Amino acid sequence: MILLFAAFAVKAQDNAVQPMDGTECSNLFFKALLEEDSNVLSNLLANDFTVVSFQGQTVDGGQLQQAVAEGHIVIESGMLSGARTRTYGDVAVVTGQWSAKGRIENNGFQGELSYMTVCVKSGGRWKVSAVQFTPIQ
C-alpha cells in the first residue's frame, strides 16, 4: 500500500507545471498568483527565490507561498502587456507591465505595475528566481 501511494506521489510530481522557456515560466508565475495556486508556485519558484514588493521589501519564496495559500495575497484581476524576454543561455529576463487589482493583507491596490522576472533553467527545469514590481506613476 505504501509503495502504491509513493508511486502516485512521484507521478503527481511528474505532472507538475514544467514551462518550456523563460517567457512561459514568467507567465505561469502570474497565472498562479491570479489563480491563488500555491502548489503551482511551489513548483515554479527556485529555492533562492525573492520578490521585491511595491515598497521595496523583499519576500522569500516560502513567505510568498504561505501568503497566497492563507489568502493574505489575493489578486482579483491581472493583465500582462508589453512583455519582452531576453534569454542568455539558461537565464531569461522578462520585463513588462501588469495591470492588477487585489489585496495584500486586506489593503486593496489597483494600478499599473512594471515588472521584471528572472527565470533560470536548473536541472532541466525553468524556475522563477526573482521578481521585482514597481508602480508606474
Side-chain angles (χ1 to χ4, degrees):
M1 197 67 162
I2 293 172
L3 292 175
L4 183 62
F5 177 73
F8 282 123
V10 168
K11 182 67 175 163
Q13 288 177 353
D14 289 344
N15 290 335
V17 176
Q18 295 183 21
M20 298 301 292
D21 58 26
T23 302
E24 185 179 12
C25 186
S26 178
N27 289 341
L28 287 171
F29 170 80
F30 285 99
K31 182 179 180 200
L33 286 179
L34 185 61
E35 294 177 354
E36 300 172 37
D37 194 333
S38 61
N39 292 325
V40 169
L41 284 175
S42 176
N43 290 320
L44 278 177
L45 302 184
N47 292 336
D48 61 350
F49 172 87
T50 57
V51 60
V52 179
S53 70
F54 311 147
Q55 289 82 27
Q57 295 103 345
T58 58
V59 175
D60 69 33
Q63 292 169 315
L64 178 65
Q65 291 171 47
Q66 183 177 1
V68 169
E70 294 176 358
H72 297 295
I73 296 176
V74 176
I75 307 300
E76 297 167 12
S77 64
M79 177 73 69
L80 297 174
S81 64
R84 178 175 179 235
T85 302
R86 296 180 312 271
T87 303
Y88 307 97
D90 289 341
V91 176
V93 178
V94 184
T95 57
Q97 290 82 44
W98 189 34
S99 178
K101 178 181 179 184
R103 295 183 320 277
I104 299 175
E105 295 190 0
N106 293 322
N107 294 313
F109 69 90
Q110 180 174 356
E112 299 290 321
L113 304 168
S114 207
Y115 73 87
M116 178 177 63
T117 58
V118 178
C119 301
V120 297
K121 190 174 185 181
S122 177
R125 295 178 183 227
W126 283 97
K127 301 278 188 173
V128 180
S129 177
V131 177
Q132 179 161 355
F133 294 111
T134 305
I136 299 174
Q137 311 233 343

